Amino acid sequence: GQQVMQIPQYQHVQEGEDFTTYCNSSTTLSNIQWYKQRPGGHPVFLIQLVKSGEVKKQKRLTFQFGEAKKNSSLHITATQTTDVGTYFCAVFASGGSYIPTFGRGTSLIVHP
Amino acid sequence: DAGVTQSPTHLIKTRGQQVTLRCSPKSGHDTVSWYQQALGQGPQFIFQYYEEEERQRGNFPDRFSGHQFPNYSSELNVNALLLGDSALYLCASSLGTGAYEQYFGPGTRLTVT
């Protein structure tokens, strides 16, 4: 079945430092979504990537889809305490399946 | 514009019992998906309902069943509860059954003792 790995599992940063989480798939993907879940909250959709090599930006967040469509990254520039939460990737295998497989997530802890 | 709502918020059940969880999708959405999220894990896809039929199913046993009503709301039923069924159950709605943006509800925290 679809395997997806997210690294790191946890990341502690000082406020103002940058943060990056990676999502790696064992198979080629059709597309990938990123979600953020605050502590005690529910996942909130951030972005969807579809094209090989695609890069999308949302203010301090930069999302990238790998050229081979097997991996993705989320980079946050100059973290703030409001960035605290767990970031999940949800991948969709190529071949027409619309069943998403979520990674275990990367928990970001920002120290003021 | 109401978002996704779920009830109840919390639930405590005993092993072997049955439970029903409810979900109302975001206004305008016609597709509801259910997920199980264990502590420290990502959400796991249970199944998806569209036009009152189960359209896709993840790797969950038949003890997990569901229903969608004409108003697009949905129920998740779990029979013969096991301790391992303790988790946060999330409902997500979307516009269509493809790989679309999903809006999650606040979830129902189920504890099986």
Side-chain angles (χ1 to χ4, degrees):
Chain A
Q2 178 68 50
Q3 303 256 349
V4 56
M5 180 172 292
Q6 268 191 266
I7 52 171
Q9 189 174 352
Y10 299 95
Q11 183 79 60
H12 289 255
V13 300
Q14 288 294 129
E15 191 172 16
E17 291 182 337
D18 291 358
F19 159 78
T20 304
T21 173
Y22 300 90
C23 179
N24 299 308
S25 168
S26 56
T27 59
T28 303
L29 305 171
S30 64
N31 56 313
I32 187 167
Q33 297 174 344
W34 284 92
Y35 291 81
K36 175 185 178 182
Q37 186 172 22
R38 292 182 186 273
H42 56 274
V44 174
F45 176 84
L46 295 176
I47 206 121
Q48 174 158 273
L49 304 171
V50 180
K51 299 177 184 175
S52 167
E54 188 171 17
V55 178
K56 287 189 175 181
K57 294 190 176 185
Q58 288 179 351
K59 297 183 181 178
R60 295 179 294 104
L61 277 61
T62 302
F63 304 84
Q64 188 163 5
F65 204 1
E67 293 289 342
K69 299 186 76 174
K70 284 189 171 184
N71 52 67
S72 179
S73 64
L74 158 58
H75 179 82
I76 302 178
T77 304
T79 55
Q80 300 174 358
T81 54
T82 53
D83 295 326
V84 164
T86 301
Y87 293 83
F88 293 99
C89 62
V91 305
F92 295 82
S94 60
S97 168
Y98 296 126
I99 295 178
T101 300
F102 279 75
R104 288 188 63 175
T106 295
S107 293
L108 172 63
I109 301 101
V110 180
H111 299 279
Chain B
D1 177 20
V4 180
T5 60
Q6 290 186 245
S7 64
T9 307
H10 296 87
L11 204 50
I12 300 175
K13 289 286 188 178
T14 305
R15 259 183 311 176
Q17 285 188 318
Q18 177 262 346
V19 69
T20 298
L21 310 182
R22 295 175 175 82
C23 169
S24 290
K26 177 180 167 63
S27 178
H29 283 186
D30 56 8
T31 303
V32 173
S33 300
W34 286 93
Y35 293 84
Q36 179 193 68
Q37 186 176 27
L39 207 58
Q41 305 288 324
Q44 271 198 291
F45 179 85
I46 302 175
F47 42 53
Q48 181 184 73
Y49 276 84
Y50 172 72
E51 291 188 336
E52 301 179 49
E53 287 187 11
E54 182 182 296
R55 298 292 177 164
Q56 301 182 95
R57 190 178 184 93
N59 190 25
F60 278 81
D62 292 346
R63 298 187 297 109
F64 290 77
S65 63
H67 190 78
Q68 185 179 35
F69 299 94
N71 67 352
Y72 307 120
S73 67
S74 177
E75 287 181 351
L76 163 65
N77 301 292
V78 187
N79 293 323
L81 285 167
L82 304 174
L83 295 179
D85 294 332
S86 295
L88 179 67
Y89 287 85
L90 294 162
C91 166
S93 73
S94 58
L95 196 56
T97 58
Y100 298 115
E101 171 182 351
Q102 296 189 85
Y103 289 77
F104 282 84
T108 294
R109 173 71 62 186
L110 173 65
T111 302
V112 182
T113 62

